Amino acid sequence: MSIEPPVPATRSAVELIKENSLQLRGGLAEELARDSEKFSDADKQLIKFHGSYQQDNRDARKDRHRDGAGKAFQFMVRCKIPGGKVTASQYLAIDQLAEKYANGTLRITSRQGFQLHGVLKSNLKQTIREINDCLLTTLGACGDVSRNVMAPPAPFASPVYQELQRRADVIAQLFAPRSKAYHDIWLNGVAVSNGAPELVDEPIYGKLYLPRKFKTVFALPEDNSTDLFAQDLGFLAHVENGAIVGYNVYAGGGMGMTHGNTNTFPFIAQAICYIAPDQVVAAAEGVIKLFRDHGNRADRKRARLKYVLHDWGIEKFRDVLQTYLPFPLVLPRDIPVTGFPLSVGWHDQGDGKYFYGISIENGRIKDEGDLRLRTMLRKLIEKFQPNIRLTPMQDILLCDLPKSAKPLINRMLTVYGVAKPERISLVQLHSLACPAVPTCGLALSEAERALPGIIDELEAELAKLGLDRDKIGVRMTGCPNGCVRPYQSDIGIVGRSGDKYTLFVGGNLVGSRLNFVLKDLVPMSEIVPTLLPLLNDYKKNRQGEEGFGDYCHRLGTDRCGAIG
Ligand code: SRM
Ligand code: SF4
């Protein structure tokens, strides 16, 4: 039985669209059949639940405006891939779709998914259908539902790693929307006008789905590569003698904020309770239901779970959560998070096989000039048919390889101009950027296209200072929404407007602490020069093995500001 949440006095427009959508159908089927380049405003919202965003090519805006043409509409299509697990044939199918219907590139996302960009409306249905043909899905990749569930990607033969991957699948499946709209619209082609659609029970979501997106991850103390502290819900495994004996449950993390609106802010997830392994599903259901019933449905800028936790405080959050749990809430244990492995390079899986992690700059798999990354990956995957894992750092792991694959893979990297991880600077390996311009409609500034230049500059300075063996994480976004989790990193660069950025320092590699503003409105060309005095001082005055973010945190805002 669906339980409808209490309806608040005022509701945002999206709430009404969801409610009246006949379980996410709206007019999507009819609009798809129509010869037009875009969807209506209401259906533009609904299409997100099906894994796609209506965008326009922002590079083309000026010329088209001059020529009196409207926007060049196109679609982003996102696959939801629990734990980032992809088979060789699925990879090859997505690679083909990138060529046939998108802009010839694949984008690994910061949540272990794939995105295609530049799909025209006329090709959207076929793209989504072919994604499903290879047994991947886009359902619930976006929209007000439980989003892709992340798990540490390394394919170690260890029961602990395997258990977390299995759990990610279970949670992803349990909290996927049950509506048949997705099948009707994209796979079977049934239009609403063909008769009343079949409505099903949505036991968790009801008619209104969630107030906003909801993100879950699994992590290990020594492997927080899924960035537990940035998530609505996180399960931190407690391991004893090689087995998971429980989990600390974290809730209320999130990154998005709006410049100038102090009512919005990034927030670090808090440890709420400790559970036994067989309580994972009930705990997830409890937190999701709490969010469904108490999340803000009037103001989407304040709708995430983090605001419920912030506004209530942790004690009330625990008390209310208890009413949704079928077991007594036990306080969390002391389980420190200590590691953030990247998994690039060669690794022994522990079952006689190996995996090779390739660092993908900002997740973009493409051929460009001498770099023939996309071709190389296709050839390698065709030859070795490896299982694949996508990482939350936007990298790719080729798994289950025989030892004998090493020489050929090493040779292919050289021939196709792809840098081996050991030849890539540590600062680049630890950097992330979001797509921003030209595809993201919310971008205020460049990110993916700008970060490589900034990293080049930073690498040169770090080498001069002898800091090139330090792990320093840089995360850049084109707007404050924080799609690559910039507010917990050593250095965060957040788009402000055009050429100007807000510069943050003081987070850490494991992401357990928010950073703070070093300087606002920094022109792109001044980003590295602004950081230099601090890096100099860090080199001279750091304590022991202190990381750059820890050093900035120790100094605090005022002293960093005075130096920087
Ligand atoms: Fe994101 C919106 C890209 C992970 C916070 N995000 C968007 C949209 C769809 C723009 C839009 O709404 O029109 C971006 C599409 C750009 C494009 O052209 O592709 C976009 N987000 C991405 C990706 C592709 C960034 C990447 O470099 O990989 C990531 C896709 C992940 C996936 O596979 O599901 C992505 N987004 C994140 C994360 C990181 C995470 O999930 O761990 C965050 C911060 C964590 C969080 O949710 O708080 C994030 N995205 C946002 C927000 C801010 C939400 C908020 O609470 O305020 C928006 C804006 C919104 O939802 O209104 C947003
Ligand atoms: Fe777009 Fe902003 Fe997300 Fe970057 S951080 S992808 S600019 S919404």
Side-chain angles (χ1 to χ4, degrees), residues 202-250:
E202 282 280 18
I204 302 290
Y205 295 135
K207 264 196 209 165
L208 299 178
Y209 294 83
L210 296 178
R212 209 59 164 84
K213 56 181 88 170
F214 186 89
K215 299 179 172 179
T216 305
V217 302
F218 289 84
L220 285 164
E222 68 282 9
D223 186 344
N224 185 32
S225 53
T226 51
D227 261 335
L228 170 93
F229 298 101
Q231 311 294 329
D232 295 286
L233 176 61
F235 292 96
L236 177 67
H238 178 204
V239 179
E240 272 178 5
N241 304 319
I244 298 174
V245 294
Y247 294 88
N248 265 355
V249 179
Y250 280 73

Side-chain angles (χ1 to χ4, degrees), residues 343-363:
S343 303
V344 292
W346 283 102
H347 298 265
D348 189 339
Q349 290 182 186
D351 56 358
K353 294 180 188 150
Y354 292 80
F355 75 91
Y356 187 63
I358 301 178
S359 168
I360 310 288
E361 193 166 26
N362 303 323

Side-chain angles (χ1 to χ4, degrees), residues 370-373 375-376 379 412-418:
D370 292 340
L371 172 75
R372 301 193 51 230
L373 173 63
T375 305
M376 184 201 73
K379 286 190 183 291
M412 295 267 287
L413 290 163
T414 310
V415 171
Y416 287 87
V418 180

Side-chain angles (χ1 to χ4, degrees), residues 152-156 158-166 220 222-223 341:
F156 291 123
S158 113
V160 168
Y161 271 85
Q162 290 176 353
E163 175 69 3
L164 296 186
Q165 280 285 336
R166 197 184 63 77
L220 285 164
E222 68 282 9
D223 186 344

